[in-house]
């Protein structure tokens, strides 16, 4: 949430935004802004109210958060109504094609059909039998909806790595808490 706030202030400070997060959030107030920034947990917890609204865009950052189609978060974001949807992720889909299905269920539910059909037509043939023809068919079907850049392609656009060391004095209360947690975990891994 805070990273997105900084990006907005840096690249488009005229864009009005509302941080829909924390105990003081107010959906009616948030709807008066151009952009609402929230968390997956807040969406999950407030889906009854949020699903009553229609947004222009729903953009999921770190969209691997919805890779489990049975998770509460995945089920919640499906209920959000919008004209357009976008999912951003820096995490490749490499563990299971069901992760790809979960993303497309959010982005374009009709393209891959229901989970049972997807499992029968794509997931099982590709993952269990290594069927390259079916994998090619799936790739061709989803390719128009993907924009993928490899690290080697963006490396030249990334700024130099900046490291900064900050020393912070802990209050007495924080020192006690730190020592308590350190001792607990030390004992837990030492046994």
């Amino acid at each position: 949430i805070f990273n997105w706030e900084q990006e907005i202030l840096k690249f488009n400070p005229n864009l009005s935004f509302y941080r829909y997060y924390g105990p003081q959030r107010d959906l009616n107030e948030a709807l008066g802004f151009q952009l609402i920034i929230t968390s997956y947990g807040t969406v999950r917890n407030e889906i009854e109210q949020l699903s009553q609204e229609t947004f222009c865009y729903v953009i999921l950052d770190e969209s691997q958060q919805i890779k489990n189609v049975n998770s509460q978060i995945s089920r919640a974001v499906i209920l959000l109504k919008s004209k357009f949807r976008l999912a951003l992720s820096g995490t490749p889909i490499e563990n299971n094609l069901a992760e790809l299905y979960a993303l497309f269920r959010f982005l374009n539910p009709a393209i891959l059909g229901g989970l049972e059909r997807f499992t029968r037509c794509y997931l099982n043939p590709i993952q269990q039998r290594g069927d390259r023809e079916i994998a090619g068919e799936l790739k061709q079907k989803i390719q128009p909806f993907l924009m993928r850049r490899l690290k080697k392609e963006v490396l030249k656009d990334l700024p130099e790595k900046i490291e900064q060391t900050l020393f912070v004095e802990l209050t007495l209360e924080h020192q006690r808490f730190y020592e308590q947690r350190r001792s607990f975990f030390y004992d837990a891994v030492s046994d």
Side-chain angles (χ1 to χ4, degrees):
I1 292 173
F2 302 106
N3 286 342
W4 275 106
E5 287 181 10
Q6 294 305 311
E7 294 294 315
I8 292 166
L9 293 172
K10 181 178 177 181
F11 292 104
N12 192 350
N14 296 323
L15 186 65
S16 69
F17 64 90
Y18 184 93
R19 184 189 318 138
Y20 190 70
Y21 182 77
Q24 304 303 319
R25 62 185 177 262
D26 180 333
L27 184 56
N28 288 326
E29 184 180 348
L31 293 171
F33 289 78
Q34 292 172 300
L35 184 66
I36 300 171
I37 306 170
T38 193
S39 68
Y40 285 102
T42 301
V43 170
R44 179 193 62 223
N45 295 339
E46 304 251 336
I47 193 57
E48 285 186 38
Q49 299 91 307
L50 293 170
S51 65
Q52 300 304 310
E53 303 298 330
T54 300
F55 301 96
C56 184
Y57 281 93
V58 171
I59 302 171
L60 302 183
D61 188 21
E62 302 296 342
S63 63
Q64 69 274 9
Q65 295 287 325
I66 68 164
K67 68 183 181 181
N68 178 349
V69 294
N70 296 314
S71 72
Q72 290 179 340
I73 291 171
S74 185
R75 291 178 187 177
V77 298
I78 297 302
L79 299 176
L80 295 172
K81 293 181 278 201
S82 65
K83 295 176 185 174
F84 306 100
R85 293 177 174 218
L86 186 64
L88 309 171
S89 178
T91 305
I93 296 166
E94 54 191 18
N95 298 327
N96 189 318
L97 281 179
E99 295 174 14
L100 177 74
Y101 175 81
L103 288 174
F104 272 90
R105 183 179 74 159
F106 167 75
L107 292 168
N108 187 344
I111 195 169
L112 298 178
L115 181 57
E116 185 179 307
R117 180 181 181 280
F118 178 78
T119 301
R120 185 181 69 253
C121 295
Y122 295 107
L123 192 141
N124 288 343
I126 295 169
Q127 289 188 186
Q128 293 178 359
R129 298 192 305 268
D131 191 319
R132 291 185 181 274
E133 186 176 326
I134 297 293
E137 178 185 316
L138 176 61
K139 184 178 179 180
Q140 186 175 11
K141 186 177 271 197
I142 65 170
Q143 193 64 41
F145 302 99
L146 296 178
M147 184 173 76
R148 182 172 181 232
R149 293 172 64 188
L150 301 174
K151 187 175 182 178
K152 66 181 180 184
E153 295 170 331
V154 298
L155 208 49
K156 63 185 179 298
D157 298 331
L158 297 175
E160 290 295 317
K161 182 177 179 180
I162 299 171
E163 291 187 22
Q164 185 177 20
T165 303
L166 300 174
F167 295 96
V168 179
E169 295 264 344
L170 297 178
T171 64
L172 190 57
E173 179 184 351
H174 287 121
Q175 288 174 5
R176 286 186 195 130
F177 180 75
Y178 173 81
E179 183 55 34
Q180 176 195 25
R181 301 313 303 159
R182 189 200 61 76
S183 295
F184 172 80
F185 287 110
Y186 179 81
D187 293 343
V189 297
S190 297
D191 290 339

